[in-house]
């Protein structure tokens, strides 16, 4: 019962953090491993369980998704295809392959989150000088966005930790959008990645998933995702950006300490 309560609480915390930041796996994954679950089992059970939290977090940010569908219709297929590739890699490659580069990717993503407003300001001034609308996304930037979305989808399908931070960083650097709107898009794309990964694990490795752990994480993350979206939408852009950086640094420490 103690283990069950801890897993559910970890799921709640992960759901809230995923809605706000996108690195909740850095809570649930170590929790399962600490309780004796094998790493691959922990990864798969965690991905299945966090679908519920990603759903409630995405629903909570549904208003911020308005007006983004012209771009998301390109990003969504990229995320789904990337997630399928990442899930396949998890089932065929050693688990440490991607885990070794996670700290490097996370540091780069956090740096982009910090300098994102300056990059947007620079891009806005450049567009105005070129006679384009400040909110216009050039074909080159759109191509870079789709490629980065696919790459993050591959990473998310393999090892979900911090994929949300990477998505926010990429979109913040390439798009003239507020951090709350990019966070809403991040929640939707991360949800799709989690669904694809969860389906792949269920069909291919059903017996390797701990369904009890996945159920507890789902229950906790469903509540946590709603709470994170409800309160996260009230944060100012700077407060949300600071939250992303702080949680990312904590996650980086935990990754390096393993």
């Amino acid at each position: 019962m103690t283990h069950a309560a801890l897993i559910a609480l970890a799921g709640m915390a992960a759901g809230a953090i995923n809605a706000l930041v996108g690195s909740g796996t850095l809570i649930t994954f170590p929790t399962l491993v600490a309780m004796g679950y094998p790493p691959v089992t922990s990864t798969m059970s965690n991905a299945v369980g966090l679908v519920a939290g990603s759903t409630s977090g995405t629903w909570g940010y549904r208003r911020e998704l308005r007006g983004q569908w012209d771009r998301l219709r390109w990003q969504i297929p990229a995320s789904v295809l990337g997630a399928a590739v990442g899930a396949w890699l998890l089932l065929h490659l050693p688990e440490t392959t991607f885990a070794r580069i996670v700290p490097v990717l996370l540091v780069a993503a956090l740096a982009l989150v910090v300098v994102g407003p300056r990059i947007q300001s620079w891009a806005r001034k450049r567009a105005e000088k070129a006679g384009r609308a400040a909110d216009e996304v050039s074909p080159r930037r759109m191509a870079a966005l789709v490629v980065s979305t696919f790459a993050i989808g591959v990473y998310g399908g393999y090892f979900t930790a911090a994929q949300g931070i990477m998505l926010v960083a990429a979109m913040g650097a390439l798009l003239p959008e507020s951090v709350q709107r990019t966070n809403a898009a991040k929640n939707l794309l991360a949800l799709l990645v989690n669904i694809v990964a969860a389906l792949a694990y269920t069909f291919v490795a059903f017996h390797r998933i701990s369904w009890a752990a996945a159920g507890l994480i789902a229950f906790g993350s469903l509540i946590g995702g709603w709470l994170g979206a409800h309160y996260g939408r009230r944060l100012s852009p700077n407060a949300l950006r600071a939250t992303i950086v702080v949680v990312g640094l904590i996650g980086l420490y935990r990754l390096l300490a393993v």
Side-chain angles (χ1 to χ4, degrees):
M1 290 300 295
T2 301
H3 281 195
L6 288 174
I7 293 173
L9 287 174
M12 183 181 297
I17 291 174
N18 275 343
L20 283 170
V21 180
S23 58
T25 293
L26 296 176
I27 293 178
T28 45
F29 178 77
T31 298
L32 293 179
V33 172
M35 292 183 179
Y37 292 92
V40 173
T41 296
S42 298
T43 298
M44 295 181 180
S45 305
N46 177 67
V48 172
L50 287 181
V51 168
S54 297
T55 301
S56 60
T58 301
W59 177 255
Y61 267 96
R62 63 192 181 279
R63 282 189 292 178
E64 284 76 10
L65 286 172
R66 294 172 184 168
Q68 299 194 59
W69 294 104
D70 286 344
R71 183 188 72 255
L72 286 171
R73 66 191 177 96
W74 296 101
Q75 287 186 271
I76 286 173
S79 277
V80 171
L81 181 59
V85 173
W88 183 89
L89 290 174
L90 178 66
L91 296 170
H92 293 84
L93 294 180
E95 187 178 352
T96 57
T97 302
F98 272 31
R100 291 175 181 173
I101 66 171
V102 172
V104 177
L105 295 174
L106 187 51
V107 168
L110 291 175
L112 282 176
V113 170
V114 173
V115 303
R118 295 184 180 181
I119 295 176
Q120 286 187 8
S121 178
W122 172 81
R124 189 178 298 110
K125 292 178 181 178
R126 185 177 180 182
E128 291 173 352
K129 288 182 179 179
R132 301 193 309 270
D135 59 350
E136 182 181 347
V137 180
S138 67
R140 183 179 300 178
R141 289 169 66 189
M142 179 60 74
L145 179 66
V146 172
V147 170
S148 62
T149 301
F150 169 78
I152 296 170
V154 174
Y155 167 82
Y158 187 98
F159 187 70
T160 57
Q163 66 166 324
I165 293 178
M166 296 175 191
L167 281 168
V168 169
M171 288 188 286
L174 295 168
L175 299 175
E177 294 281 6
S178 69
V179 67
Q180 289 286 8
R181 283 172 61 81
T182 57
N183 199 48
K186 173 267 294 179
N187 283 341
L188 174 62
L189 296 173
L191 167 63
L192 295 174
V193 170
N194 284 348
I195 289 175
V196 172
L199 289 175
Y201 302 156
T202 300
F203 285 121
V204 178
F206 184 92
H207 62 287
R208 302 183 70 179
I209 298 172
S210 172
W211 290 99
L216 290 168
I217 292 174
F219 172 75
S221 68
L222 184 66
I223 299 172
W226 181 86
L227 291 173
H230 180 72
Y231 291 103
R233 294 174 69 250
R234 302 180 181 182
L235 293 176
S236 68
N238 288 337
L240 180 57
R241 195 171 285 110
T243 301
I244 292 172
V245 172
V246 169
V247 174
L249 289 174
I250 294 173
L252 179 63
Y253 169 78
R254 296 194 66 174
L255 284 171
L256 294 176
V258 174

